[in-house]
Amino acid sequence: MSYLKYVAVGDSQTEGLNDGDEETGYRGWADRLAEVLAKQDPRFRYANLAVRGRRTREIRADQTGAALALEPDLVTVMAGMNDLMRPSFDAAAVAADVDAMLDAFTDSGARVVTFTFPDIAKIAPLARHARPRVLDLNRRIR
């Protein structure tokens, strides 16, 4: 399937923070995906609306409407890690915001891709205390 308008929403993981170098600048997974998709059709357009540090409710409030205005046929949503790392983490609230974004984008006719998070205890053993939160949020996202 060929996509003509791809919009990425999220936080630093989507923005590409710390992906790339001083010569290429930030170039994360969403930019790399867009590059592959752009090779399929010269009319392809891409917007990365992600902003580092944003929590899920902020992504929903600030990026959903802007993304919908671009009339995308493909949207990626990656949100929740900034919430997960805070003491006030509420998995149900984060999942509800993700669901609302997924509903808004699918209702517009876009194909939507979302993500779960890696088992943080396997990547950073010192962060193992966050593992139950990650597993809970992943279950809700699925």
Side-chain angles (χ1 to χ4, degrees):
M1 181 173 217
S2 181
Y3 298 102
L4 294 178
K5 294 181 184 178
Y6 165 38
V7 177
V9 300
D11 55 26
S12 61
Q13 295 176 95
T14 299
E15 181 186 7
L17 185 61
N18 296 325
D19 291 339
D21 57 39
E22 291 180 12
E23 290 180 28
T24 62
Y26 298 138
R27 189 168 174 270
W29 65 264
D31 297 336
R32 290 175 169 88
L33 173 60
E35 182 179 16
V36 170
L37 295 172
K39 291 177 183 175
Q40 297 177 13
D41 193 312
R43 299 171 297 162
F44 177 80
R45 298 294 177 259
Y46 163 61
N48 188 333
L49 303 181
V51 179
R52 71 190 77 163
R54 293 299 191 261
R55 295 170 69 178
T56 305
R57 66 179 157 76
E58 295 169 314
I59 294 166
R60 178 183 175 192
D62 300 339
Q63 298 174 28
T64 303
L68 289 169
L70 296 171
E71 299 179 347
D73 52 13
L74 175 66
V75 178
T76 54
V77 177
M78 188 169 207
M81 187 56 75
N82 290 323
D83 301 272
L84 196 134
M85 301 312 266
R86 296 180 189 268
S88 61
F89 175 66
D90 180 346
V94 171
D97 283 329
V98 170
D99 281 343
M101 287 187 280
L102 299 180
D103 287 345
F105 295 132
T106 56
D107 287 350
S108 76
R111 174 74 51 111
V112 182
V113 178
T114 193
F115 306 86
T116 56
F117 298 99
D119 186 340
I120 198 163
K122 292 181 181 178
I123 297 168
L126 293 176
R128 68 184 173 273
H129 68 280
R131 186 170 195 256
R133 291 177 170 199
V134 171
L135 296 177
D136 181 29
L137 182 57
N138 283 346
R139 181 184 58 76
R140 293 169 189 265
I141 290 172
R142 282 186 187 101

